[in-house]
C-alpha cells in the first residue's frame, strides 16, 4: 500500500431524512468531504442485508446488498416512486440513531411500490439476474420462503421439509407460486448494485477508494447455509450444526464471544478449489477496491464451540486451511489488496501465516497503553505493512475508552502522547495515528466527532442497542476537513489528485 489515510463511516451512519444512511446524496457529499480532507480511503462495514440483531456481521447472504441502503430519492428521480409515498413514512424519529424495527415494518412497503412500477423486461435488469444467478436465485427464494413460513423462523424450522432441505423439485414448485415475490427481492438487489456502481464510479473519479469488510463466517439463518449446506459442518439431519463459531474469553468479553455461525467443512471446500470463497471475494472485488477480512486468524485455526452452549468458554481450537487457502485466493484474484484483521489471540502460527501471506495486519491504538513499552500497538512498535485504527466497530469511542480506562493506563496514555486532560484526547490520538510508520491509518467518524460511549457502534456479546449510530447532518461543521487535510499533508498521507500530480 502507498502511505495514505481514511475514515470509517458505514453507509447506514450517513445522515438522511429517511431513517438510515443510503447510497444517495449524502454518500456523494461524504465522498466530497473525504476529497476535501485529503483522505484516500472510505471504509465501511459489511453491506449485506441484516437479520435479527441488526448486525452487518450476521447477514442473510454473503453476496447480497442491504435493501435499506437503497436511496428513495433516486428511485423517485427514476419515476419509480412518488415523494408522498415515502417522505412522511415512519422510519424512526431520532436523527442520530437507526430504528431498525421501524425500518423493517415500513421500508419494504415503500420499495414494493417502486417494484410495481418497474419494467422487469428491462435488458439491464435481465442481464443482472442472469449474471448473478449463482447466488441471486437462492437468495430471492430464501427470503421469500422466510416471509411465507414466518420471518421469525430460521430455515431449520420450516415445516415444509422439502424446502427446508433445499430440494430442487420443491424449490421449482415454490418459485412458480411465488414468482412475483421472488422478483421483488431480485429487484431490490438490482437497485442496490445499480446505485452502488454509480456511487463507486463517482468516488473513484475523485481518487478515493472503498475498503469493504468480509465477515469470515456466514449467518446460520442465511441463504448461504441453506443452499450450500455441504460446505458447512452439520449433523446427520443436515439441520443442526455440530459446532459453531466464536472466540475465547478476551479483552472484549470474560465469557468469550458466542457468534453462533456454522463452521466450514474445510476438507470439502478444498476439494472444490475453494470455489465458494473465491466467488464471494470476487463478487466483493466488483464493488470495493480493497477488502478487510474479519477474524483472519480463523484461517490458521478456528474456535469451535459445541452447538447449544450458552457461552464460548467450552470451545476448542481446530486447524484451518492456512496458506493453502490464501494461495488459492491469490491464484484467482492476483494482487487484489486485502487487509487481515489479526486482533485477539494471535499465536506464532498465525503470525507466520500473516507474514507468508504478505497481507497487512491491524493495529488499534486503544489497545496500546497497557502492558508496557513493548506493546505491539504502541506507535513506536508499528511496522509499515499494517493499518492502524483509532478503534474498530467493536471498540468504545476514544472518549468513552479514555473515561473508562484505569488510572495506570490513562496516565501512560497521557505521558506517551503529551495529553494534559480529556480535551486533548482526540488531537493527540490523531497525531499518533497519522505520524505512525503504518502505511495506512483509519479513524472512525465517531472519534472525529468526539462522541461519547453512547455512540459506539457495537458492544460485543450484547443485543438491542448496536449498529445504530448516525452522523449529524452538520458533521462537516463539527469536523474540519481543512484540519484533517493539513494533518494528512504533514505526515505525507494526503490524497493527491491527477491534476496536482501533473502540475508537479
Amino acid at each position: 500500500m502507498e502511505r495514505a489515510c481514511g475514515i470509517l463511516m458505514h453507509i447506514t451512519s450517513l445522515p438522511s431524512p429517511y431513517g438510515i444512511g443510503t447510497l444517495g446524496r449524502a454518500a456523494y457529499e461524504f465522498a466530497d468531504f473525504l476529497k476535501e480532507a485529503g483522505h484516500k480511503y472510505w471504509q465501511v462495514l459489511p453491506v449485506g442485508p441484516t437479520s435479527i440483531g441488526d448486525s452487518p456481521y450476521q447477514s442473510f447472504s454473503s453476496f447480497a446488498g442491504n435493501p435499506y441502503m437503497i436511496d428513495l430519492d433516486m428511485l423517485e428521480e427514476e419515476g419509480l416512486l412518488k415523494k408522498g409515498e415515502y417522505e412522511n413514512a415512519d422510519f424512526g424519529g431520532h436523527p442520530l440513531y437507526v430504528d431498525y424495527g421501524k425500518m423493517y415494518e415500513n421500508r419494504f412497503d415503500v420499495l414494493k411500490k417502486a417494484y410495481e412500477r418497474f419494467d422487469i423486461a428491462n435488458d439491464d435488469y435481465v442481464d443482472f439476474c442472469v449474471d448473478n444467478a449463482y447466488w441471486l436465485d437462492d437468495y430471492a427464494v430464501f427470503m421469500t420462503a422466510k416471509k411465507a413460513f414466518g420471518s421469525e423462523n430460521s430455515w431449520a424450522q420450516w415445516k415444509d421439509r422439502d424446502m427446508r432441505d433445499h430440494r430442487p423439485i420443491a424449490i421449482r414448485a415454490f418459485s412458480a407460486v411465488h414468482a412475483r415475490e421472488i422478483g421483488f427481492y431480485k429487484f431490490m438487489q438490482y437497485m442496490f448494485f445499480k446505485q452502488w456502481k454509480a456511487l463507486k464510479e463517482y468516488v473513484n473519479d475523485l481518487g478515493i477508494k472503498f475498503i469493504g469488510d468480509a465477515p469470515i463466517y456466514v449467518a446460520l439463518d442465511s441463504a448461504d447455509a441453506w443452499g450450500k449446506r455441504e460446505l458447512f459442518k452439520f449433523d446427520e439431519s443436515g439441520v443442526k450444526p455440530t459446532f459453531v463459531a466464536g472466540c475465547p474469553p478476551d479483552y472484549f468479553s470474560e465469557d468469550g464471544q458466542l457468534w453462533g455461525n456454522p463452521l466450514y467443512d474445510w476438507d470439502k471446500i478444498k476439494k472444490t478449489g475453494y470455489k465458494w470463497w473465491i466467488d464471494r471475494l470476487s463478487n466483493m472485488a466488483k464493488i470495493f477496491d480493497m477488502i478487510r477480512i474479519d477474524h483472519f486468524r480463523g484461517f490458521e485455526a478456528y474456535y469451535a464451540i459445541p452447538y447449544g452452549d450458552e457461552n464460548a468458554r467450552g470451545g476448542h481450537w481446530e486447524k484451518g486451511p492456512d496458506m493453502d487457502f490464501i494461495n488459492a485466493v491469490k491464484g484467482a484474484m492476483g494482487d487484489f489488496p486485502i487487509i487481515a484483521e489479526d486482533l485477539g489471540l494471535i499465536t506464532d502460527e498465525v503470525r507466520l501465516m500473516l507474514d507468508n501471506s504478505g497481507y497487512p495486519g491491524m493495529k488499534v491504538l486503544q489497545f496500546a497503553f497497557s502492558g508496557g513499552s513493548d506493546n505491539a500497538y504502541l506507535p513506536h512498535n508499528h511496522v509499515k505493512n499494517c493499518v492502524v485504527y483509532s478503534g474498530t466497530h467493536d471498540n468504545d469511542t476514544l472518549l468513552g475508552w479514555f473515561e473508562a480506562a484505569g488510572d495506570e493506563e490513562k496516565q501512560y496514555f497521557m505521558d506517551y502522547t503529551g495529553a494534559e486532560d480529556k480535551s486533548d484526547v482526540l488531537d493527540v490520538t490523531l497525531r499518533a495515528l497519522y505520524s505512525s510508520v503504518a502505511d495506512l491509518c483509519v479513524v472512525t467518524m465517531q472519534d472525529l466527532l468526539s462522541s461519547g460511549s453512547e455512540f459506539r457502534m457495537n458492544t460485543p456479546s450484547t443485543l438491542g442497542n448496536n449498529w445504530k449510530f448516525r452522523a449529524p447532518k452538520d458533521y462537516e461543521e463539527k469536523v474540519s476537513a481543512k484540519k484533517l487535510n493539513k494533518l494528512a499533508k504533514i505526515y505525507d498521507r494526503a490524497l493527491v489528485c491527477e491534476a496536482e500530480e501533473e502540475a508537479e
Side-chain angles (χ1 to χ4, degrees):
M1 293 184 296
E2 76 276 44
R3 189 166 174 81
C5 50
I7 296 176
L8 173 55
M9 165 79 111
H10 193 36
I11 301 297
T12 59
S13 296
L14 291 164
S16 160
Y18 309 120
I20 195 168
T22 69
L23 301 173
R25 178 179 176 181
Y28 289 78
E29 291 175 345
F30 182 68
D32 293 337
F33 172 80
L34 283 170
K35 175 68 179 293
E36 186 180 354
H39 282 48
K40 187 170 185 175
Y41 289 93
W42 178 353
Q43 183 165 343
V44 297
L45 302 182
V47 296
T50 52
S51 58
I52 295 173
D54 312 313
S55 170
Y57 294 88
Q58 296 283 351
S59 175
F60 287 129
S61 170
S62 294
F63 293 81
N66 191 335
Y68 294 157
M69 297 179 188
I70 298 171
D71 187 70
L72 303 182
D73 285 333
M74 294 176 77
L75 295 182
E76 190 264 342
E77 291 170 5
E78 288 193 45
L80 297 176
L81 285 177
K82 296 178 181 178
K83 203 83 169 178
E85 293 174 331
Y86 64 92
E87 64 179 353
N88 295 317
D90 185 4
F91 297 131
H94 201 296
L96 301 180
Y97 293 100
V98 178
D99 186 331
Y100 285 101
K102 295 292 186 182
M103 295 299 298
Y104 178 76
E105 291 170 6
N106 300 317
R107 198 68 158 210
F108 294 107
D109 289 340
V110 172
L111 292 172
K112 282 177 182 176
K113 289 181 172 63
Y115 176 52
E116 289 166 2
R117 297 188 179 101
F118 182 71
D119 178 13
I120 59 173
N122 178 300
D123 288 343
D124 192 47
Y125 171 72
V126 172
D127 289 344
F128 171 83
C129 292
V130 172
D131 293 343
N132 294 280
Y134 66 97
W135 66 266
L136 183 61
D137 288 353
D138 259 1
Y139 168 73
V141 171
F142 173 80
M143 296 303 295
T144 304
K146 279 190 67 66
K147 192 75 172 177
F149 302 145
S151 297
E152 71 281 1
N153 296 323
S154 75
W155 59 264
Q157 298 169 305
W158 293 350
K159 292 182 179 180
D160 185 328
R161 293 196 173 188
D162 288 335
M163 281 294 291
R164 182 198 70 181
D165 293 337
H166 200 262
R167 306 289 185 191
I169 294 176
I171 291 173
R172 284 195 293 270
F174 181 88
S175 299
V177 174
H178 298 276
R180 186 67 181 167
E181 295 94 327
I182 291 170
F184 174 54
Y185 286 98
K186 291 185 177 181
F187 160 77
M188 288 191 288
Q189 289 307 301
Y190 170 72
M191 295 309 307
F192 172 89
F193 284 102
K194 179 182 177 180
Q195 291 188 1
W196 187 282
K197 181 181 179 182
L199 175 62
K200 184 176 185 295
E201 288 177 354
Y202 183 84
V203 167
N204 289 166
D205 284 346
L206 294 177
I208 298 167
K209 295 183 178 181
F210 267 118
I211 302 176
D213 199 321
I216 189 172
Y217 295 117
V218 306
L220 178 57
D221 190 22
S222 68
D224 308 289
W226 174 65
K228 300 292 184 183
R229 220 162 309 176
E230 68 276 9
L231 302 180
F232 304 92
K233 291 186 175 182
F234 283 92
D235 64 13
E236 293 181 357
S237 72
V239 174
K240 293 182 179 180
T242 51
F243 291 86
V244 294
C247 64
D250 62 7
Y251 171 91
F252 291 114
S253 174
E254 292 181 358
D255 286 329
Q257 296 181 43
L258 177 60
W259 301 331
N261 311 76
L263 295 174
Y264 297 109
D265 189 328
W266 284 114
D267 290 337
K268 290 182 179 178
I269 294 175
K270 180 178 179 178
K271 290 177 182 178
T272 70
Y274 303 100
K275 183 180 185 304
W276 180 87
W277 256 101
I278 290 171
D279 284 347
R280 179 190 181 195
L281 292 175
S282 297
N283 186 67
M284 293 185 68
K286 296 175 184 177
I287 64 172
F288 300 118
D289 303 292
M290 184 181 293
I291 299 171
R292 188 196 84 120
I293 300 182
D294 195 52
H295 197 62
F296 189 81
R297 67 104 55 239
F299 295 121
E300 190 283 319
Y302 55 91
Y303 198 63
I305 305 164
Y307 180 70
D309 277 15
E310 294 182 357
N311 59 50
R313 289 183 177 272
H316 66 277
W317 291 99
E318 293 192 14
K319 184 65 179 175
D322 209 304
M323 284 301 299
D324 191 65
F325 166 76
I326 294 169
N327 287 333
V329 171
K330 285 177 174 284
M333 300 182 64
D335 294 327
F336 187 88
I338 288 175
I339 298 170
E341 188 270 283
D342 58 341
L343 307 176
L345 180 61
I346 304 302
T347 64
D348 289 341
E349 291 81 2
V350 176
R351 293 187 186 94
L352 179 62
M353 178 184 69
L354 184 61
D355 287 344
N356 288 336
S357 76
Y359 296 148
M362 289 175 53
K363 306 295 182 185
V364 179
L365 281 190
Q366 287 188 31
F367 298 155
F369 301 99
S370 60
S373 61
D374 61 346
N375 186 317
Y377 297 114
L378 283 167
H380 71 265
N381 291 324
H382 291 176
V383 296
K384 280 178 60 61
N385 190 36
C386 75
V387 185
V388 59
Y389 292 81
S390 56
T392 73
H393 59 274
D394 282 335
N395 287 101
D396 203 339
T397 64
L398 272 175
L399 289 188
W401 162 77
F402 182 78
E403 291 181 346
D407 292 341
E408 186 175 341
E409 184 178 17
K410 191 176 295 185
Q411 187 61 52
Y412 188 34
F413 169 83
M414 296 174 73
D415 291 342
Y416 189 96
T417 62
E420 295 186 2
D421 54 38
K422 176 183 172 181
S423 64
D424 293 335
V425 169
L426 176 61
D427 285 342
V428 298
T429 301
L430 288 179
R431 289 198 175 273
L433 273 173
Y434 288 72
S435 64
S436 166
V437 70
D439 284 331
L440 177 60
C441 72
V442 177
V443 61
T444 70
M445 177 52 75
Q446 289 100 311
D447 288 340
L448 290 176
L449 288 165
S450 297
S451 302
S453 296
E454 66 274 18
F455 290 109
R456 71 181 292 173
M457 200 57 152
N458 178 52
T459 302
S461 300
T462 67
L463 289 173
N465 199 37
N466 298 318
W467 318 110
K468 294 182 175 183
F469 164 73
R470 296 176 65 198
K473 62 182 180 180
D474 61 346
Y475 69 87
E476 293 183 66
E477 298 176 15
K478 298 176 182 293
V479 180
S480 170
K482 183 178 180 180
K483 179 180 177 180
L484 288 176
N485 197 320
K486 182 178 179 180
L487 198 61
K489 287 180 177 177
I490 289 172
Y491 296 110
D492 193 28
R493 295 187 182 276
L495 170 66
V496 179
C497 67
E498 292 182 3
E500 291 173 328
E501 288 179 340
E502 290 174 0
E504 292 175 359

